[in-house]
């Protein structure tokens, strides 16, 4: 009798099930909507933005003609330094004397050698393309932490600004290098890596003096986070950085270096101004006009000091809460993961985590977390609870298998807004804005617009008009006036939001204190009544 033919092994449907799960989870309208509208999706969207920007910058470099403005002058100034000259009055190019601090000299001296004495322009463009991508990554990282702005807004702003791409890869200005160090410093400060942040901030100032526009906010941030003594230490690191990079010049011609690289009285040419084209040249160059702008700058800094300090204090409060709760959350998630492993091995129902008194939150902690989520959801537009940053809610997961997650980094909203506002005020009150100065605040404009309680249409209108003004060449009376108008409207919107927030915080705090006092009084009365009854 012939043996029965063996049946072919049944193939597992495991791979098919995985594909079906992926298709069901990600290929649907809900997930697309999540990617477009939910700020929590920014870590995913950022990858596509950076890849698209890589292709776009390569296209611009190869298809759009390079325009010579300052690159040749930069190379001439650095060539003088490389030949042994350390007197800033003698370091000159076709556009005039060297007016930037020593870090600029070192960085562009390195570019001088890399680009064959500045002759290989195409290579320099690709280097600035890399700088642009690094800058975008740092910016997107801050936006991802804060969950303030929807992803589609950043996609639109990134790909529709011809002026920004031009500043980086078609003009090769030093402003992008300084801003790169600034955003590196902001990221490090948000990660609470203070010393490295101070070093990057000092390097940014060493490239161009405009980074000092962030200094008032940074000083307050230091004091509130670190206290007086540690603030002095960080300021010493910033100052020591300037001494180290300027040492070759300070040892030989100190006054010419200080006057040349940190000249606060420098007068810009009226023909290049973007913001004050409507003023006559006589007024534009008048020193009293400059003093008036300086006084206005200081006044606005003083006016916004109170809300900025309030924001920073609440940021520190939330970070302290994070330090307190994260070990408990990590322990709870560890138990959940262990349950998942046991379930996979035994194919049995997962064991419920054993109650642990130490893992439970106090009523005050739970109330504060609820208040934290509610306030941040109101500011971001999120309706549901704060979710993990990497994916939307998955309803298929068992409730017991869900890991506990609180996106504490969302509190960076409270830190970033004062920084961006401080710089924005400085740009508003600047004596003159040249076209390359757009990069000073471009990446913070969506954040400021979404920090104001404006309609969606007004936000887009403001960003569009600001872009129009910076793309109008040469500037006109109309474009300069519109730019100032947009700045004023944006400042008013942010101011209204900030002062409204701190007033609400004060009201809530007073209400909480009243409830505590009433509760204490009630408890005291009960205790007194019990004692009288016992006696």
């Amino acid at each position: 009798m012939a043996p029965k033919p063996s049946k072919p092994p049944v193939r597992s449907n495991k791979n098919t099930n995985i594909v079906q799960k992926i298709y069901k989870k990600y290929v649907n309208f809900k997930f697309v909507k999540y990617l477009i509208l939910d700020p929590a999706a920014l870590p995913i969207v950022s990858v596509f933005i950076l890849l698209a920007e890589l292709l776009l910058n390569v296209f611009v470099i190869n298809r759009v003609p390079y325009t010579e403005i300052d690159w040749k002058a930069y190379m001439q100034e650095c060539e003088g330094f490389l030949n042994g000259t350390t007197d800033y009055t003698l370091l000159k190019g076709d556009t005039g004397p060297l007016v930037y601090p020593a870090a600029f000299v070192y960085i562009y001296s390195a570019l001088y050698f890399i680009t064959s004495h500045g002759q290989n322009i195409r290579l320099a463009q690709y280097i600035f393309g890399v700088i642009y991508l690094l800058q975008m990554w740092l910016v997107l990282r801050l936006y991802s932490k804060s969950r303030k702005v929807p992803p589609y807004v950043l996609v639109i702003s990134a790909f529709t600004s011809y002026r920004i791409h031009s500043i980086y890869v078609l003009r090769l200005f030093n402003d992008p290098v300084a801003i790169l160090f600034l955003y590196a410093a902001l990221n490090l400060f948000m990660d609470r890596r203070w010393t490295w942040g101070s070093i990057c901030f000092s390097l940014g100032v060493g490239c161009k003096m405009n980074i000092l526009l962030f200094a008032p906010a940074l000083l307050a941030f230091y004091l509130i986070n670190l206290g007086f003594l540690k603030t002095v230490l960080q300021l010493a690191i910033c100052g020591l950085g300037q001494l180290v990079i300027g040492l070759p010049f300070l040892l030989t011609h100190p006054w010419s270096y200080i006057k040349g690289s940190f000249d606060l009285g420098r007068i810009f040419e009226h023909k290049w101004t973007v913001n004050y084209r409507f003023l006559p040249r006589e007024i534009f160059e008048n020193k009293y006009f400059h003093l008036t702008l300086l006084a206005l700058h200081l006044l606005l800094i003083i006016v916004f000091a109170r809300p900025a300090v309030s924001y920073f204090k609440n940021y520190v409060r939330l970070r302290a809460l994070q330090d307190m709760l994260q070990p408990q959350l990590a322990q709870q998630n560890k138990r959940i993961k262990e349950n998942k492993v046991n379930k996979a091995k035994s194919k049995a129902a997962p064991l419920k985590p054993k109650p642990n008194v130490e893992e439970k939150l106090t009523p005050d902690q739970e109330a504060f977390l609820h208040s934290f989520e509610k306030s941040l959801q109101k500011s971001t537009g999120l309706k549901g609870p704060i979710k993990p940053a990497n994916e939307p809610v998955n309803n298929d997961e068992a409730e017991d298998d869900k890991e506990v997650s609180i996106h504490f980094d969302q509190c960076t909203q409270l830190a970033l807004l004062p920084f961006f506002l401080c710089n924005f005020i400085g740009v508003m009150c600047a004596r003159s804005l040249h076209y390359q100065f757009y990069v000073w605040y471009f990446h913070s404009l969506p954040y400021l617009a979404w920090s104001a309680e404006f309609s969606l249409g007004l936000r887009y209108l403001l960003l569009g008009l600001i872009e129009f003004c910076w793309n109008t060449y040469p500037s006109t009376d109309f474009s300069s006036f519109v730019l100032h108008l947009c700045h004023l409207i944006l400042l008013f919107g942010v101011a209204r939001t900030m002062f409204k927030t701190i007033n609400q915080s004060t009201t809530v705090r007073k209400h909480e204190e009243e409830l505590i006092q009433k509760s204490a009084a009630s408890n005291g009365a009960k205790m007194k009544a019990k004692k009288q009854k016992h006696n």
Side-chain angles (χ1 to χ4, degrees):
M1 184 174 179
K4 293 182 180 181
S6 60
K7 293 182 180 181
V10 179
R11 292 184 178 179
S12 173
N13 292 328
K14 186 176 180 180
N15 293 335
T16 304
N17 291 336
I18 292 175
V19 172
Q20 288 176 348
K21 285 182 179 180
I22 293 174
Y23 183 85
K24 182 179 179 181
K25 187 174 181 180
Y26 297 111
V27 186
N28 55 69
F29 176 75
K30 183 179 180 181
F31 185 72
V32 173
K33 183 180 177 182
Y34 164 76
L35 291 178
I36 295 173
L37 299 177
D38 196 331
L42 257 179
I44 301 173
V45 178
S46 296
V47 176
F48 296 99
I49 292 177
L50 291 173
L51 289 174
E53 283 286 12
L54 172 62
L55 297 176
L56 180 59
N57 277 278
V58 170
F59 175 82
V60 171
I61 291 170
N62 286 277
R63 296 293 181 180
V64 182
Y66 163 79
T67 303
E68 171 57 45
I69 298 180
D70 282 341
W71 172 260
K72 186 178 179 181
Y74 291 165
M75 295 298 102
Q76 292 168 343
E77 292 161 357
C78 292
E79 191 172 36
F81 166 71
L82 294 171
N83 288 333
T85 303
T86 56
D87 187 349
Y88 254 56
T89 60
L90 301 178
L91 294 175
K92 298 180 180 180
D94 290 343
T95 58
L98 176 59
V99 294
Y100 308 119
F104 160 85
V105 178
Y106 303 143
I107 292 170
Y108 274 83
S109 294
L111 292 174
Y112 176 85
F113 286 113
I114 294 172
T115 60
S116 302
H117 298 184
Q119 299 302 311
N120 193 341
I121 302 296
R122 182 57 54 87
L123 178 57
Q125 289 181 278
Y126 278 114
I127 291 173
F128 273 80
V130 173
I131 291 174
Y132 179 89
L133 293 176
L134 287 174
Q135 169 74 24
M136 281 300 300
W137 173 68
L138 292 171
V139 170
L140 291 170
R141 188 173 184 268
L142 290 177
Y143 276 92
S144 298
K145 281 177 174 288
S146 67
R147 296 189 181 183
K148 183 71 175 177
V149 180
Y152 75 92
V153 176
L154 298 176
V155 172
I156 294 173
S157 64
F159 297 131
T160 57
S161 180
Y162 169 80
R163 179 63 65 188
I164 290 298
H165 289 87
S166 172
I167 291 170
Y168 278 82
V169 298
L170 297 179
R171 304 293 187 268
L172 312 181
F173 289 117
N174 67 322
D175 301 78
V177 181
I179 292 296
L180 177 66
F181 283 115
L182 181 278
Y183 274 93
L186 287 180
N187 274 271
L188 290 165
F189 289 140
M190 296 305 109
D191 294 340
R192 293 183 282 183
R193 301 177 68 177
W194 300 101
T195 298
W196 283 108
S198 298
I199 291 171
C200 286
F201 186 83
S202 185
L203 287 173
V205 175
C207 291
K208 195 161 186 177
M209 195 171 50
N210 70 283
I211 303 302
L212 289 173
L213 294 177
F214 289 88
L218 180 58
L219 177 61
F221 198 61
Y222 277 151
L223 288 169
I224 295 170
N225 279 270
L226 303 177
F228 178 76
L229 292 179
K230 290 184 178 180
T231 295
V232 172
L233 175 61
Q234 295 303 320
L235 293 177
I237 292 172
C238 292
L240 183 62
Q242 294 303 309
L243 289 176
V244 170
I245 63 177
L247 200 60
F249 306 97
L250 292 171
L251 290 176
T252 54
H253 302 87
W255 178 244
S256 66
Y257 172 71
I258 295 172
K259 187 177 185 301
S261 58
F262 296 100
D263 185 7
L264 297 175
R266 184 182 171 197
I267 298 177
F268 296 96
E269 294 186 43
H270 183 259
K271 67 178 181 179
W272 297 115
T273 185
V274 176
N275 55 334
Y276 283 114
R277 174 67 62 181
F278 55 83
L279 288 181
R281 182 185 299 273
E282 294 75 18
I283 297 178
F284 177 80
E285 296 179 353
N286 190 289
K287 68 175 182 179
Y288 293 108
F289 173 65
H290 298 169
L291 292 174
T292 301
L293 290 176
L294 179 61
L296 178 62
H297 186 184
L298 295 176
L299 177 62
L300 289 174
I301 292 295
I302 293 171
V303 168
F304 284 96
R306 177 171 170 261
V309 168
S310 177
Y311 271 55
F312 285 155
K313 285 182 177 179
N314 284 310
Y315 168 81
V316 172
R317 182 183 176 207
L318 289 173
R319 284 302 191 192
L321 184 66
Q322 175 188 3
D323 293 337
M324 180 175 61
L325 294 182
Q326 272 189 335
Q328 299 178 32
L329 298 178
Q331 188 176 8
Q332 180 73 3
N333 289 333
K334 183 179 178 181
R335 289 177 178 274
I336 293 172
K337 287 181 180 179
E338 290 174 354
N339 287 338
K340 287 182 180 179
V341 172
N342 293 334
K343 180 181 178 181
K345 287 182 178 179
S346 62
K347 296 184 179 180
L351 298 174
K352 298 272 185 176
K354 294 181 179 180
N356 189 332
V357 177
E358 292 181 354
E359 293 176 3
K360 293 182 179 180
L361 304 182
T362 65
D364 290 340
Q365 292 173 349
E366 291 179 351
F368 185 77
L369 281 177
H370 177 72
S371 175
F372 167 67
E373 290 194 0
K374 186 176 180 181
S375 63
L376 289 182
Q377 286 163 11
K378 184 178 179 181
S379 63
T380 57
L382 296 176
K383 301 301 181 184
I386 297 175
K387 304 184 286 294
N390 57 347
E391 61 181 7
V393 174
N394 184 2
N395 295 325
D396 294 334
E397 295 183 24
E399 191 68 28
D400 290 337
D401 288 342
K402 290 183 180 179
E403 294 187 9
V404 183
S405 177
I406 300 174
H407 186 73
F408 277 104
D409 276 341
Q410 198 165 355
C411 71
T412 55
Q413 291 182 15
L414 299 170
L416 289 178
L417 182 56
F419 274 108
F420 288 157
L421 179 62
C422 187
N423 179 63
F424 181 72
I425 290 172
V427 172
M428 275 189 61
C429 299
R431 291 174 294 175
S432 181
L433 295 175
H434 293 180
Y435 286 96
Q436 65 267 32
F437 297 178
Y438 190 22
V439 74
W440 292 5
Y441 76 145
F442 168 78
H443 298 98
S444 64
L445 287 175
Y447 196 94
L448 292 171
W450 259 255
S451 295
E453 295 180 356
F454 291 149
S455 66
L456 195 61
L458 181 55
R459 288 168 176 165
Y460 281 125
L461 180 62
L462 288 173
L463 295 179
L465 288 175
I466 290 174
E467 180 71 20
F468 160 77
C469 294
W470 284 98
N471 280 285
T472 301
Y473 179 80
S475 62
T476 63
D477 292 353
F478 176 74
S479 67
S480 293
F481 175 78
V482 170
L483 183 63
H484 278 288
L485 181 63
C486 291
H487 285 173
L488 288 172
I489 294 173
L490 192 53
L491 180 67
F492 172 78
V494 174
R496 185 175 62 174
T497 299
M498 292 185 74
F499 281 99
K500 180 180 177 181
T501 300
I502 63 170
N503 288 335
Q504 289 176 344
S505 299
T506 303
T507 303
V508 170
R509 189 163 57 250
K510 288 180 179 179
H511 180 64
E512 290 176 349
E513 291 175 355
E514 290 175 359
L515 290 177
I516 292 172
Q517 291 175 357
K518 289 181 180 178
S519 177
S522 176
N523 291 334
K526 289 180 181 178
M527 292 294 293
K528 187 176 181 180
K530 285 182 179 180
K531 287 181 179 180
Q532 291 176 350
K533 185 177 181 181
H534 180 72
N535 294 332

